[in-house]
Amino acid sequence: MAFQEGELIFLEEDSGKRHFARVMFGMMKIQSLGTIDGNRLRETDDGSVMTVAGKRLTAFRPGTMDLMGSLERGAQIITPKDAASIIMNTDVRPGSRVLEVGAGSGGLTTALLMAVGPEGKVHTLEYVEENAQRAGRNIRRAGLEENWLCQIGDARTVEVDFDADCLIMDMPDPQNALDNLLPHLRPGGRVCAYVPNMNQMADVVNAMRQRDMCDVHALENIQREMEVHPGGVRPAFEMLGHTAYLIFGRKRAV
């Protein structure tokens, strides 16, 4: 389908540099690129190539990873490698209702909204107003705000009016929010906690077990790219190593 006026796209240089813009069939001012005639985007689609100021640019619709990588940053975001594991392990799918703790900059929230689709809902609890506002700007930029609600409050005590299929917590002491939030999780629903330190991981695992949750397990993701050259192939010297521990569990019916 051809690009529509008002939708978010990015133009990628051969170097990999990206320029995000909202389509306008008229003169478009794009930061760090200049002004281009948006009418050149009429009847064009994903992967279309154009030349602007001597640069070859390829136009794409952004996917989830593209959106996460282009956020307005404040708080550290959950990386795509961890977001993918969270979504798979908590079985987030189209139509899911997700209770999220910690908006941060909206990285995981973006991935969750993309996963639940137009029939699902993400209800985010955020303690810091500034984080909520920043995440909101990122969510609106991606056009995902219709299925998102953000509530300011302390996840350990705040009153929540939301029934969830899964609970995902990015906070320093998620074990202390379980008693307040587990009642809002359906029987069989899944829980994820995201913490950076091993002692925090142990606290969460023990707290889940004490509450008779099942399938309690923890993991971390290590990711390393491969470098492919005409002369050979080898692993990259640098890797995306430890970012956090992910703890998962499932609620039993009472």
Side-chain angles (χ1 to χ4, degrees):
M1 184 177 72
F3 292 130
Q4 302 297 303
E5 192 163 29
E7 76 170 299
L8 184 69
I9 65 169
F10 66 88
L11 303 174
E12 181 168 305
E13 300 181 20
D14 288 343
S15 66
K17 184 177 181 180
R18 294 177 173 184
H19 309 271
F20 281 78
R22 207 160 286 282
V23 175
M24 293 177 57
F25 296 144
M27 300 309 292
M28 295 171 52
K29 188 173 183 179
I30 303 176
Q31 187 176 5
S32 76
L33 187 61
T35 301
I36 69 170
D37 184 359
N39 286 304
R40 298 176 62 183
L41 294 169
R42 287 183 185 272
E43 309 304 324
T44 59
D45 203 344
D46 246 352
S48 299
V49 178
M50 64 178 66
T51 301
V52 176
K55 296 179 180 179
R56 187 173 75 155
L57 302 172
T58 307
F60 291 109
R61 287 187 175 90
T64 303
M65 287 186 62
D66 304 314
L67 291 170
M68 292 179 70
S70 64
L71 296 174
E72 174 192 341
R73 298 290 186 92
Q76 181 66 36
I77 71 163
I78 292 178
T79 61
K81 72 178 176 71
D82 291 331
S85 289
I86 291 170
I87 288 171
M88 290 297 293
N89 279 274
T90 56
D91 196 34
V92 176
R93 60 176 75 182
S96 291
R97 293 171 60 83
V98 180
L99 180 57
E100 178 193 29
V101 178
S105 296
L108 179 62
T109 313
T110 297
L112 292 171
L113 286 164
M114 293 287 281
V116 303
E119 301 302 319
K121 187 75 69 175
V122 176
H123 184 116
T124 303
L125 303 176
E126 173 54 55
Y127 189 70
V128 180
E129 177 71 36
E130 182 181 357
N131 288 345
Q133 292 179 1
R134 183 185 302 106
R137 290 193 294 270
N138 284 320
I139 298 304
R140 288 188 293 274
R141 171 177 174 265
L144 299 170
E145 67 275 13
E146 290 298 319
N147 298 86
W148 183 58
L149 176 65
C150 188
Q151 179 180 354
I152 303 298
D154 186 337
R156 297 168 296 184
T157 57
V158 69
E159 293 186 7
V160 179
D161 183 17
F162 187 76
D163 296 320
D165 297 305
C166 68
L167 166 63
I168 300 170
M169 299 178 288
D170 176 12
M171 59 183 291
D173 57 341
Q175 69 276 9
N176 293 328
L178 287 173
D179 289 339
N180 185 42
L181 300 181
L182 279 179
H184 301 282
L185 182 67
R186 67 167 175 81
R190 302 170 196 264
V191 177
C192 170
Y194 179 93
V195 295
N197 299 317
M198 193 169 286
N199 60 318
Q200 293 171 299
M201 176 192 69
D203 289 342
V204 177
V205 168
N206 290 328
M208 287 185 177
R209 289 174 176 166
Q210 289 164 6
R211 286 157 180 80
D212 197 32
M213 297 184 68
C214 61
D215 193 24
V216 177
H217 61 284
L219 59 86
E220 68 172 342
N221 291 314
I222 306 296
Q223 188 176 79
R224 181 166 64 174
E225 290 192 1
M226 299 292 113
E227 294 193 359
V228 181
H229 304 288
V233 180
R234 63 170 177 79
F237 290 124
E238 295 183 358
M239 71 170 70
L240 185 54
H242 174 79
T243 45
Y245 297 103
L246 304 176
I247 307 99
F248 300 99
R250 198 163 186 184
K251 180 181 176 180
R252 299 181 195 269
V254 177

